[in-house]
């Protein structure tokens, strides 16, 4: 259907998995490179010129690398749940843990072009190996090569990438304490007194104005920088 397609429109794009790798940066102590591979389940409305568009499901991938500070730690960490058959994992226990928070992407554009042509701004011509957990999202096998035409999707992805590391902290600790005061609620005899103390929900009756979104835009712009 893709080889016969005249045009395509993205119906839905869903983020299904992120593959994360952490490596220390040479000659820059305390900094680590975080390589994130995004895997998307994309549903397209493909038009073949005659008849109604048909739905086609496919896989889209994107790679991103960031350099973050994660401090240093040379202690090897073991626990009762450590796998004794995977000693290689203990060698990387001192590395910080990379965490990616992401939402489903926004579809910006879709192009159907010949396979031997690569649009400007794209890298590579073939998809990499796909983890088995990602393949399970698809009912049929994924075609990683071949075909006369190929679909290129431009997706807008919002995500937060951070490094986490366990550390020891000294926190003040207090013994159990019993409440000394009695909490008196509203009287059952006069429920109107309780209702009068409730603030009127003005925001529920009026939609928010543009100024209410200023803080959100400032947060979004700071994350993009």
């Amino acid at each position: 259907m893709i080889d016969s397609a005249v045009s395509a429109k993205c119906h839905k794009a869903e983020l299904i998995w992120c593959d994360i790798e952490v490596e220390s940066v040479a000659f820059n102590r305390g900094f680590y490179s975080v390589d994130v591979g995004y895997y998307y389940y994309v549903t397209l409305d493909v038009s073949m010129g005659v008849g109604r568009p048909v739905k086609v499901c496919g896989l889209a991938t994107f790679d991103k690398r960031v350099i973050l500070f994660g401090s240093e730690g040379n202690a090897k960490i073991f626990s009762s749940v450590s796998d004794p058959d995977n000693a290689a994992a203990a060698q990387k226990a001192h590395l910080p843990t990379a965490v990616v928070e992401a939402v489903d992407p926004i579809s910006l554009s879709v192009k159907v072009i010949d396979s031997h042509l690569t649009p400007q701004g794209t890298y590579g011509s073939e998809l990499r190996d796909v983890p088995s957990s990602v393949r399970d999202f698809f009912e049929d096998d994924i075609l990683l090569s071949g075909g006369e035409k190929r679909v290129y999707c431009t997706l807008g992805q919002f995500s937060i990438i951070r490094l986490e590391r366990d550390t020891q902290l000294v926190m003040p600790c207090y013994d159990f304490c019993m409440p000394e005061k009695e909490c008196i609620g509203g009287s059952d005899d006069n429920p109107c007194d309780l209702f009068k103390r409730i603030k009127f929900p003005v925001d529920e009756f009026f939609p928010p104005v543009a100024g209410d979104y200023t803080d959100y835009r400032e947060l979004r712009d700071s994350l993009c920088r």
Side-chain angles (χ1 to χ4, degrees):
M1 287 185 286
I2 295 298
D3 291 341
S4 304
V6 177
S7 62
K9 178 182 178 180
C10 185
H11 178 75
K12 183 180 180 181
E14 179 183 1
L15 178 64
I16 57 178
W17 180 250
C18 283
D19 190 16
I20 308 173
E21 293 289 339
V22 180
E23 295 290 342
S24 59
V25 178
F27 310 110
N28 204 346
R29 297 177 58 182
F31 284 84
Y32 300 86
S33 64
V34 182
D35 295 302
V36 183
Y38 297 86
Y39 293 87
Y40 303 96
Y41 186 97
V42 181
T43 304
L44 302 174
D45 291 330
V46 178
S47 175
M48 292 178 286
V50 180
R52 299 179 60 183
V54 294
K55 291 190 181 299
V56 177
C57 298
L59 174 69
T61 64
F62 175 70
D63 294 323
K64 182 180 182 64
R65 168 175 289 186
V66 296
I67 305 296
L68 300 175
F69 179 75
S71 190
E72 292 183 284
N74 295 321
K76 298 180 180 180
I77 303 173
F78 304 92
S79 67
S80 58
V81 297
S82 299
D83 186 5
D85 297 328
N86 190 7
Q91 302 299 323
K92 294 185 177 182
H94 65 281
L95 295 176
T97 302
V99 178
V100 178
E101 295 185 20
V103 296
D104 286 337
I106 301 173
S107 177
L108 301 178
S109 68
V110 177
K111 292 182 179 180
V112 180
I113 63 176
D114 295 335
S115 298
H116 64 278
L117 299 177
T118 302
Q120 184 179 4
T122 61
Y123 302 91
S125 58
E126 301 295 338
L127 290 174
R128 57 173 174 265
D129 293 335
V130 181
S132 59
S133 58
V134 176
R135 293 178 180 268
D136 294 338
F137 277 86
F138 299 86
E139 297 180 358
D140 301 323
D141 294 335
I142 302 175
L143 301 178
L144 300 180
S145 61
E148 299 177 359
K149 293 183 179 180
R150 181 167 296 172
V151 179
Y152 286 90
C153 301
T154 301
L155 304 176
Q157 177 67 67
F158 292 99
S159 61
I160 299 175
I161 304 175
R162 66 177 185 268
L163 289 178
E164 297 180 351
R165 181 184 291 278
D166 292 336
T167 184
Q168 304 295 329
L169 298 177
V170 178
M171 304 294 295
C173 181
Y174 301 96
D175 199 358
F176 294 106
C177 58
M178 297 299 295
E180 299 178 355
K181 295 183 179 180
E182 180 182 0
C183 180
I184 302 176
S187 174
D188 295 336
D189 298 334
N190 193 358
C192 294
D193 293 339
L194 177 62
F195 181 76
K196 290 180 180 179
R197 293 195 293 267
I198 300 177
K199 185 179 179 181
F200 188 84
V202 179
D203 295 338
E204 300 296 332
F205 290 87
F206 298 94
V209 297
D212 296 339
Y213 297 98
T214 303
D215 295 339
Y216 167 75
R217 289 199 299 269
E218 292 178 353
L219 176 61
R220 181 196 61 188
D221 296 340
S222 64
L223 293 177
C224 292
R225 291 195 296 267

